Amino acid sequence: AQSVAQPEDQVNVAEGNPLTVKCTYSVSGNPYLFWYVQYPNRGLQFLLKYITGDNLVKGSYGFEAEFNKSQTSFHLKKPSALVSDSALYFCAVMEWPLDMRFGAGTRLTVKP
Amino acid sequence: NAGVTQTPKFRVLKTGQSMTLLCAQDMNHEYMYWYRQDPGMGLRLIHYSVGEGTTAKGEVPDGYNVSRLKKQNFLLGLESAAPSQTSVYFCASRGETQYFGPGTRLLVL
């Protein structure tokens, strides 16, 4: 079965600094990878996805993710963090054509 | 276009009580899903549906039942609630990606 792992429960960065939220995957075949964000008391919101093509994927709110096949990683990045980026971030892999398998989540805190 | 909506937003049950969570989507999606979210465990799939009249078990189906009588609605039922079912429940429907509802917080005492 497909799976993803988020090795960090918590990531803290200072506002204005670059941020990285890590994700590694385990799939058979080509992966369909996603990042979602969850703000307090809200559902998950789609940020970006990788299906095929360019290894650097750009998404919403200035986020991007880099697909690395040799390292089986799909890390989420942003060049300059904002306090408003503080949220819970989930990496996911789609087990086509059915459902998503989610990581445990990483809580990002951006401090002023 | 409301997207995915869920009712109720919050509910407290006593052990053994039953309840139904309602999910509705107005995007004409075929696929719908019910997840539960627990701290440190991400989202786990309870049941899903690939179309009206069809349902299937996900990763953690025990203690739950579902029905998809209409394409736009996906109901999650708890016949006899247990404290282990205290969680936040999310419904989703799938188009180009999954679209999530705002969640239902359930507390079982």
Side-chain angles (χ1 to χ4, degrees):
Chain A
Q2 328 273 45
S3 65
V4 290
Q6 295 179 243
E8 300 161 317
D9 293 335
Q10 174 90 31
V11 171
N12 297 316
V13 298
E15 188 174 28
N17 283 0
L19 69 87
T20 299
V21 182
K22 296 179 180 178
C23 173
T24 58
Y25 65 87
S26 174
V27 304
S28 54
N30 295 322
Y32 291 8
L33 297 163
F34 299 77
W35 275 102
Y36 285 83
V37 60
Q38 184 181 32
Y39 297 101
N41 301 313
R42 303 287 296 275
L44 276 69
Q45 297 178 33
F46 169 76
L47 276 179
L48 52 81
K49 66 180 177 183
Y50 172 84
I51 303 295
T52 187
D54 195 345
N55 289 344
L56 186 63
V57 180
K58 293 190 183 299
S60 305
Y61 312 121
F63 283 94
E64 57 190 26
E66 186 171 10
F67 173 71
N68 188 316
K69 190 171 183 177
S70 63
Q71 297 185 2
T72 62
S73 66
F74 189 56
H75 300 334
L76 182 70
K77 300 181 179 183
K78 188 172 183 181
S80 179
L82 300 172
V83 172
S84 57
D85 292 330
S86 298
L88 191 55
Y89 290 81
F90 290 96
C91 181
V93 60
M94 179 173 279
E95 193 158 356
W96 189 265
L98 298 175
D99 66 296
M100 293 247 189
R101 299 282 170 163
F102 289 85
T106 298
R107 186 164 299 280
L108 173 67
T109 301
V110 181
K111 298 182 179 178
Chain B
N1 190 339
V4 180
T5 58
Q6 293 181 234
T7 52
K9 288 186 171 53
F10 177 70
R11 184 77 181 267
V12 179
L13 290 179
K14 294 181 180 179
T15 297
Q17 287 185 317
S18 63
M19 78 164 293
T20 300
L21 283 67
L22 172 64
C23 175
Q25 52 98 2
D26 60 3
M27 296 173 281
N28 203 34
H29 290 159
E30 293 289 343
Y31 289 42
M32 296 186 74
Y33 309 84
W34 275 106
Y35 294 92
R36 60 177 288 172
Q37 183 181 23
D38 302 293
M41 302 189 75
L43 276 75
R44 292 181 293 168
L45 183 67
I46 304 171
H47 286 279
Y48 64 96
S49 169
V50 300
E52 181 179 321
T54 72
T55 63
K57 294 180 180 180
E59 187 181 355
V60 287
D62 294 342
Y64 305 95
N65 57 74
V66 287
S67 64
R68 185 98 181 267
L69 299 179
K70 294 182 179 180
K71 186 177 184 178
Q72 63 267 35
N73 294 338
F74 194 29
L75 278 62
L76 177 72
L78 286 73
E79 291 186 347
S80 179
S84 61
Q85 295 177 304
T86 292
S87 189
V88 182
Y89 292 86
F90 288 99
C91 176
S93 68
R94 203 184 90 202
E96 195 172 305
T97 181
Q98 286 199 3
Y99 298 87
F100 285 83
T104 296
R105 291 184 177 275
L106 177 64
L107 175 62
V108 183
L109 302 175

